Amino acid sequence: MNYSKKGIDNKQHNIKSTSKRLVSKTRISLFRFLIAFVVFLAIVGVFTGLGLVKGLIDSAPDISQIDVIPTGYTTTVYDREGNDIEHLIGAHSNRVYVGMDQIPEYVQKAFVAIEDERFYEHDGIDVRGIIRAAVNGLTTGKFNQGASTITQQLLKNQIFGGGREKTFMDRAERKIQEQYLAIQLEDKLDKDTILEYYLNTINLGSGTYGVQTASKRYFNKNVSELNLSEAACIAAIAQLPVYHNPITHPDYNAARRKNVLDKMLEFKYCTQQEYDEAIADDVYSRIQSVNEEMDTTSYYSYFVDELIDQIMKDLQTELGYTQTQASNLIYSGGLSIYTTQDSTVQGIIDDIYADESYFPAMGTSYWELTYALSIQKGDAEGTVIHYHGDDLVKFYKDFKDPKGYYVDEGSSKFSLLFTNKEDMLEKIDAFREAMVEEGDTILGNEKITMTIQPQSSFVVMDQHIGHVVAIIGGRGEKEGNRTLNRATDTVRQPGSTFKVLSTYLPALDTGKFTLASPMDDSGPYYYPGTKTEVNNWTSSKKYEGLTPLRRAIYNSMNIITVKTLNEVTPQLSYDNYLLKLGFTSLVDSRVEEDGRVFSDIKLPMALGGLTDGVSNLELTAAYAAIANSGVYTKPVFYTKVLDHDGKVLLENTPKTEQVMKESTAFLLTNAMEDVVKKGTGKSYKLTTINMPIAGKTGSTSDYNDLWFSGYSPYYTATIWSGFDNNRPQRERNYQKKLWRTIMERIHTELNLETKSFSIPDSIVTAKVCSKSGKLAVPGLCDHYLGGSTVYTEYFAKGTEPTEKCDIHVKATICTESNALATEYCPIGKQKESVYLNKSETGKTADSQYLLPSKSCNIHKAGSSSIFDDDSLYEDDPLYEDEPYDNDDPNSEDNSYPPDDSQINDFYSYFNHW
């Protein structure tokens, strides 16, 4: 610094200089302006911010209109005894609500300690927490430290969709509205209610929402049973449900769990001893054990699949729901569905169907491939090609194999039915490699499904009330929910099981026929007006002749069945019986695009020849009607559905109708008992227990379908077996063992006592002739050449015969001519027997016993004497080896003429003959 006089003078001069003063003044003014501008900007910013905040607050939902009560609950399915058997869970709906009285204080305090330690002090927002988070953000540049209270978290989950904003501004907007509403919510609800809602809402990993579901998932116990260690483990999940999951990330959860316990000890929510015990607890071993026991990848059973379909339909038809609304309610409405399933019966069926020893061995069983591959070519057009199983077959049949794609010598006989999975996968790999070229793109996922064949389904109903107690819709591992259900969804040709329903039921119920009514099994027989022959019931092509309907039923005789329906008429059967028995897949009339007309109201219906077929479930229900004294009950899978509040939403009262007389039902039952005792169903007779069974077998051409529908006095059950794609079966006995074993176990494990089918008062009996269906005549029907035809038959009262048999006649034939004897036939050549007096066009079992239509033409007048046959006298005491010798008058034995005693002896002998 220059402090000389000269320097001081220069400085004063500069200060007094006009230009210098102007510069200095300008600088001061500019500084003041800048300060004012900053203050102005700050004021504008504050007001703008306040305006923005006010705008966000004004756009926030009205507190009076929002509902933070947890929504989306697990639907629980119960069996007929009230046991929990299944849970239906939609997205974010794996939740079971519990009140605070069921949530231990350990659990409540664990969440408060780690998620909102000042929960009981603040009014919805934690100011200290907000400041802490803001400071952390300003110092680190990361605004990710949580400051949300439990009240805010509840609002975020219930009102703001879980807080999944993508930008900072969106997140800030939600936070402001969330804090505003939190203050208002605390004025509206008390702390316990807010905490209760929160504990039933929070995402706790593994698809669980709320503490009850989490407790069941990780510890297989109710939340009310959790101890301190387990409560801390669950509370530790809340911050990051994926990374703090105790199953997949036990280490992360353990660290967070310790923080929970430390906080609880700090806030005196637990004692030191309780803390030490919780820290030492090996909680994760228990969690892993529970996880191993739980089948988390299982699919709904076939029963539940059909149950869902039925409730979905009922919600729409009875309550007016849309399909979407019905689906949301079923999977997220927290319903309680009470089903008709008997878990014991269902378990028996599941066990037996899971045992492959009951099914044909591989070689008779096969895997069947369903295949699909879509490829977008790398050319300019981007052509898309879809490949299916048929393309695989063609590839291995026609391809010349330049690259060695054939994986074994048998590839030229490639089939979608196979026994070796690994070999098939190699073939698929080779096909894909051949089809996909460089630059091509595979669209979606290649579909490779291997289904075990033959398949099978089984249905069991309680015939008395129409309850479906168990079903299984397929054999082998189930690969999804609501997949193909062969018990309810598919229709197949019913074969001879349909004879009873389409023909013999209306024949008996209308009174046109009785079980004793004879029909002539003769042939060849053609459907009337056609050249189509009705296949005989035996491969030997032999015909039985006159046969009562009872025998036709238990021997499943085709010609008699068709003849009977022809008299009953298919239209009457269809209108008055089949429709009333609940069949929905029968075709009245259908015109195809090519002009062909299809209808089931024709005579082939007698033998189960239908356009589409019937389902196992509907066939079972029809047979259950016979078992239930003629009363048809529409099969039901549930009895009632309650909403989340316990109010009845649906009540499934069985719909019933008396389709046939009680007497008809008994007559059919009694005839079908013979099916099992001595007819086509002998192999279905229960062998380990004494229980009557009535039922009917059925099969289709080449044994593509194998059926048996039968019942005991308790249950009706039907089995179907066959290939999904209609292939012939070589093994035709396995379904018999399946049906018999299942029914034996059901009756044994349910401790059902032996009892007979009840006989109604409307039934009477009569001794009849099986050839005429009329009252048997002693000395005729029981002396028939073909064997006695007398038996006792049941009749509906009023239909029993009153006329005597007129088809059996006693006649004398000549044994030489096999014609009716005349007065000229020698006595020794005549034979008296009982014959059938009927006419025939073909040869049947009756033919050899028919009354001859002609008289003997061998023996005529003057040709011989009735005494010419010496054999007549061989055993007679009056007969001598030598005849009378009239040439010897001295003979004592041959005196001539004969005396009176000899003449008397002669007449005595003549009268003897």
Side-chain angles (χ1 to χ4, degrees):
M1 296 293 291
N2 188 356
Y3 293 104
S4 65
K5 186 176 184 307
K6 184 177 180 180
I8 293 171
D9 291 339
N10 288 336
K11 193 169 185 98
Q12 290 176 343
H13 176 76
N14 290 336
I15 293 172
K16 294 177 181 179
S17 169
T18 303
S19 61
K20 292 292 185 179
R21 288 200 304 271
L22 183 60
V23 170
S24 179
K25 187 175 182 179
T26 300
R27 287 177 176 173
I28 291 171
S29 297
L30 181 61
F31 178 72
R32 288 174 178 171
F33 174 77
L34 288 174
I35 291 175
F37 184 71
V38 169
V39 171
F40 173 76
L41 288 178
I43 293 172
V44 171
V46 168
F47 278 97
T48 300
L50 290 174
L52 288 173
V53 171
K54 186 177 186 305
L56 291 175
I57 290 175
D58 290 342
S59 64
D62 188 335
I63 190 66
S64 64
Q65 301 298 319
I66 67 173
D67 187 358
V68 293
I69 298 176
T71 56
Y73 299 103
T74 298
T75 288
T76 303
V77 180
Y78 302 94
D79 67 10
R80 69 192 304 179
E81 301 297 330
N83 301 308
D84 181 339
I85 58 173
E86 186 60 89
H87 296 96
L88 310 182
I89 304 169
H92 312 298
S93 298
N94 190 12
R95 177 183 295 108
V96 176
Y97 194 94
V98 287
M100 288 293 273
D101 58 333
Q102 297 173 269
I103 304 175
E105 191 172 358
Y106 279 147
V107 177
Q108 300 176 35
K109 293 299 192 286
F111 278 90
V112 169
I114 196 66
E115 291 297 317
D116 187 2
E117 61 189 48
R118 286 177 286 278
F119 173 69
Y120 291 106
E121 302 170 11
H122 62 64
D123 294 325
I125 59 174
D126 184 1
V127 177
R128 289 166 58 184
I130 293 172
I131 294 173
R132 183 193 70 243
V135 171
N136 179 76
L138 292 171
T139 56
T140 64
K142 297 180 179 179
F143 292 87
N144 59 357
Q145 190 174 93
S148 292
T149 63
I150 283 177
T151 310
Q152 287 178 251
Q153 291 183 52
L154 176 62
L155 286 163
K156 179 182 71 174
N157 291 330
Q158 296 302 97
I159 307 302
F160 296 102
R164 299 182 180 88
E165 299 84 4
K166 295 181 179 180
T167 66
F168 173 80
M169 291 305 297
D170 289 340
R171 198 157 46 249
E173 177 181 338
R174 188 256 303 165
K175 278 286 187 181
I176 292 171
Q177 293 182 339
E178 187 181 276
Q179 291 169 353
Y180 169 71
L181 290 175
I183 295 172
Q184 291 186 301
L185 188 63
E186 293 257 354
D187 290 335
K188 184 179 178 181
L189 302 175
D190 59 51
K191 290 287 187 181
D192 281 348
T193 301
I194 292 172
L195 184 59
E196 179 178 316
Y197 290 167
Y198 170 79
L199 292 176
N200 281 284
T201 303
I202 190 71
N203 181 354
L204 293 172
S206 297
T208 65
Y209 292 84
V211 291
Q212 171 64 15
T213 311
S215 300
K216 296 293 286 186
R217 177 65 185 87
Y218 299 119
F219 301 106
N220 197 24
K221 61 171 69 172
N222 293 318
V223 64
S224 60
E225 302 171 302
L226 294 181
N227 59 33
L228 175 61
S229 171
E230 295 162 344
C233 177
I234 289 180
I237 303 172
Q239 184 186 44
L240 296 169
V242 175
Y243 295 106
H244 290 165
N245 188 308
I247 296 174
T248 56
H249 300 287
D251 294 340
Y252 293 162
N253 182 274
R256 181 75 172 172
R257 171 176 167 271
K258 185 176 185 304
N259 290 343
V260 175
L261 291 171
D262 289 344
K263 288 278 190 181
M264 293 184 73
L265 182 64
E266 176 187 346
F267 298 131
K268 295 183 172 46
Y269 292 153
C270 66
T271 66
Q272 183 66 50
Q273 180 180 350
E274 290 170 335
Y275 172 87
D276 293 340
E277 290 175 355
I279 289 291
D281 181 28
D282 185 12
V283 68
Y284 299 100
S285 294
R286 296 201 300 279
I287 291 174
Q288 293 301 326
S289 296
V290 169
N291 187 56
E292 291 172 4
E293 294 173 2
M294 285 191 172
D295 185 5
T296 57
T297 60
S298 65
Y299 299 105
Y300 300 149
S301 68
Y302 289 104
F303 185 98
V304 173
D305 281 351
E306 179 62 21
L307 172 73
I308 292 171
D309 287 347
Q310 291 216 359
I311 294 178
M312 188 86 72
K313 293 174 185 175
D314 291 347
L315 286 172
Q316 294 176 72
T317 57
E318 296 185 25
L319 300 182
Y321 282 66
T322 65
Q323 184 174 357
T324 299
Q325 290 171 333
S327 180
N328 289 338
L329 184 63
I330 289 172
Y331 290 103
S332 302
L335 306 178
S336 295
I337 302 174
Y338 293 87
T339 75
T340 58
Q341 185 184 94
D342 187 312
S343 292
T344 300
V345 177
Q346 187 67 61
I348 291 170
I349 297 176
D350 292 342
D351 288 346
I352 291 177
Y353 265 69
D355 187 346
E356 283 298 316
S357 68
Y358 284 97
F359 293 91
M362 197 58 67
T364 309
S365 283
Y366 303 89
W367 295 100
E368 185 165 29
L369 175 67
T370 303
Y371 182 76
L373 173 67
S374 296
I375 298 173
Q376 185 172 33
K377 304 300 290 183
D379 54 23
E381 292 79 13
T383 306
V384 175
I385 303 176
H386 302 287
Y387 295 104
H388 301 281
D390 291 343
D391 298 298
L392 268 171
V393 175
K394 188 175 188 307
F395 174 79
Y396 280 104
K397 178 181 179 182
D398 299 337
F399 195 65
K400 301 304 180 184
D401 195 24
K403 300 180 181 179
Y405 287 123
Y406 288 159
V407 290
D408 62 26
E409 294 179 356
S411 58
S412 61
K413 297 180 180 179
F414 181 87
S415 171
L416 297 179
L417 282 178
F418 56 94
T419 59
N420 189 320
K421 278 187 169 183
E422 289 71 22
D423 178 64
M424 176 56 74
L425 289 173
E426 290 180 19
K427 285 182 167 67
I428 292 172
D429 290 342
F431 174 80
R432 186 191 317 107
E433 185 179 345
M435 297 299 107
V436 180
E437 300 175 341
E438 186 175 353
D440 293 350
T441 302
I442 296 178
L443 302 177
N445 296 321
E446 183 180 26
K447 180 182 178 182
I448 302 173
T449 303
M450 300 180 182
T451 306
I452 193 72
Q453 301 289 345
Q455 272 295 327
S456 184
S457 67
F458 204 97
V459 176
V460 182
M461 282 183 65
D462 181 339
Q463 62 248 26
H464 306 292
I465 52 178
H467 286 185
V468 179
V469 296
I471 68 168
I472 192 165
R475 161 195 180 198
E477 185 176 352
K478 199 167 184 282
E479 297 183 346
N481 291 326
R482 301 180 72 185
T483 54
L484 177 64
N485 191 336
R486 297 168 186 84
T488 59
D489 298 340
T490 60
V491 291
R492 303 287 296 214
Q493 297 298 314
S496 293
T497 59
F498 218 58
K499 291 176 178 176
V500 170
L501 306 172
S502 66
T503 302
Y504 296 113
L505 163 56
L508 296 175
D509 202 59
T510 57
K512 291 184 178 181
F513 292 85
T514 70
L515 286 178
S517 297
M519 295 292 283
D520 200 11
D521 180 42
S522 61
Y525 177 77
Y526 300 87
Y527 287 105
T530 76
K531 295 182 179 180
T532 303
E533 183 180 355
V534 177
N535 291 330
N536 198 25
W537 66 287
T538 63
S539 58
S540 63
K541 291 288 184 180
K542 292 182 179 178
Y543 302 97
E544 280 206 359
L546 289 173
T547 305
L549 294 197
R550 173 183 287 275
R551 182 173 174 83
I553 291 172
Y554 72 70
N555 275 337
S556 199
M557 300 170 71
N558 290 348
I559 292 174
I560 291 181
T561 307
V562 174
K563 287 182 175 180
T564 303
L565 183 59
N566 189 43
E567 294 199 28
V568 171
T569 75
Q571 191 70 55
L572 181 144
S573 173
Y574 178 83
D575 291 338
N576 294 357
Y577 295 96
L578 295 178
L579 293 182
K580 293 180 180 180
L581 286 172
F583 289 109
T584 60
S585 57
L586 301 182
V587 176
D588 185 342
S589 181
R590 185 168 72 202
V591 181
E592 298 293 328
E593 292 182 358
D594 58 7
R596 290 182 300 164
V597 179
F598 291 91
S599 175
D600 288 334
I601 312 175
K602 295 180 178 180
L603 286 178
M605 179 177 74
L607 309 182
L610 305 176
T611 306
D612 298 322
V614 299
S615 71
N616 189 325
L617 177 63
E618 291 187 351
L619 187 64
T620 304
Y623 269 82
I626 302 175
N628 189 32
S629 301
V631 178
Y632 170 78
T633 305
K634 185 178 180 180
V636 296
F637 282 74
Y638 70 94
T639 55
K640 62 181 176 180
V641 177
L642 307 183
D643 65 15
H644 184 249
D645 297 322
K647 297 178 181 178
V648 175
L649 190 65
L650 290 171
E651 197 154 17
N652 203 8
T653 303
K655 298 176 178 64
T656 64
E657 181 178 2
Q658 186 84 40
V659 176
M660 70 201 83
K661 302 183 185 78
E662 185 181 16
S663 57
T664 303
F666 170 77
L667 294 174
L668 291 172
T669 296
N670 191 256
M672 287 192 287
E673 281 191 87
D674 281 351
V675 171
V676 177
K677 291 177 181 178
K678 55 185 176 182
T680 58
K682 290 191 293 290
S683 298
Y684 292 94
K685 182 179 180 180
L686 306 188
T687 57
T688 63
I689 60 173
N690 180 24
M691 185 67 68
I693 293 294
K696 185 69 187 72
T697 55
S699 62
T700 57
S701 299
D702 297 323
Y703 301 98
N704 286 350
D705 303 276
L706 296 171
W707 292 90
F708 182 74
S709 191
Y711 49 91
S712 72
Y714 298 97
Y715 291 107
T716 302
T718 301
I719 188 172
W720 166 85
S721 295
F723 284 77
D724 284 334
N725 291 321
N726 280 317
R727 299 178 185 268
Q729 297 188 77
R730 287 184 287 167
E731 173 56 56
R732 303 191 290 271
N733 293 310
Y734 65 96
Q735 84 285 353
K736 300 174 183 177
K737 185 177 180 182
L738 277 167
W739 193 94
R740 185 178 66 245
T741 304
I742 289 172
M743 289 295 275
E744 285 175 345
R745 283 191 56 184
I746 288 173
H747 290 77
T748 299
E749 295 183 26
L750 295 181
N751 296 315
L752 300 176
E753 65 178 18
T754 300
K755 66 178 181 179
S756 301
F757 293 107
S758 59
I759 304 176
D761 295 335
S762 54
I763 291 294
V764 296
T765 62
K767 276 192 174 184
V768 295
C769 169
S770 63
K771 292 296 181 179
S772 67
K774 299 179 180 180
L775 295 174
V777 178
L780 287 178
C781 302
D782 52 350
H783 284 72
Y784 171 53
L785 273 175
S788 175
T789 59
V790 180
Y791 76 104
T792 300
E793 183 58 273
Y794 289 106
F795 295 89
K797 190 177 294 184
T799 66
E800 66 273 21
T802 56
E803 298 179 354
K804 294 183 178 181
C805 173
D806 54 5
I807 198 170
H808 282 120
V809 294
K810 186 180 292 186
T812 303
I813 66 164
C814 174
T815 57
E816 284 191 27
S817 63
N818 288 322
L820 292 172
T822 68
E823 65 271 25
Y824 307 111
C825 297
I827 294 297
K829 301 296 184 181
Q830 296 183 30
K831 183 178 181 181
E832 187 180 70
S833 298
V834 177
Y835 298 91
L836 282 179
N837 186 15
K838 61 168 282 198
S839 59
E840 282 192 342
T841 56
K843 187 175 182 180
T844 72
D846 292 339
S847 298
Q848 59 183 316
Y849 308 117
L850 293 183
L851 178 68
S853 59
K854 297 181 180 180
S855 298
C856 176
N857 59 2
I858 296 178
H859 305 106
K860 299 178 180 178
S863 63
S864 63
S865 167
I866 61 171
F867 300 109
D868 281 352
D869 189 354
D870 290 343
S871 64
L872 290 172
Y873 314 107
E874 290 177 354
D875 298 323
D876 196 289
L878 298 178
Y879 178 76
E880 297 286 347
D881 288 340
E882 296 294 333
Y884 292 112
D885 187 0
N886 294 331
D887 294 333
D888 185 2
N890 298 319
S891 172
E892 294 181 1
D893 296 328
N894 297 325
S895 57
Y896 184 83
D899 59 25
D900 290 341
S901 63
Q902 288 177 314
I903 294 174
N904 289 335
D905 287 341
F906 172 79
Y907 284 112
S908 175
Y909 177 81
F910 184 85
N911 290 332
H912 166 75
W913 283 101

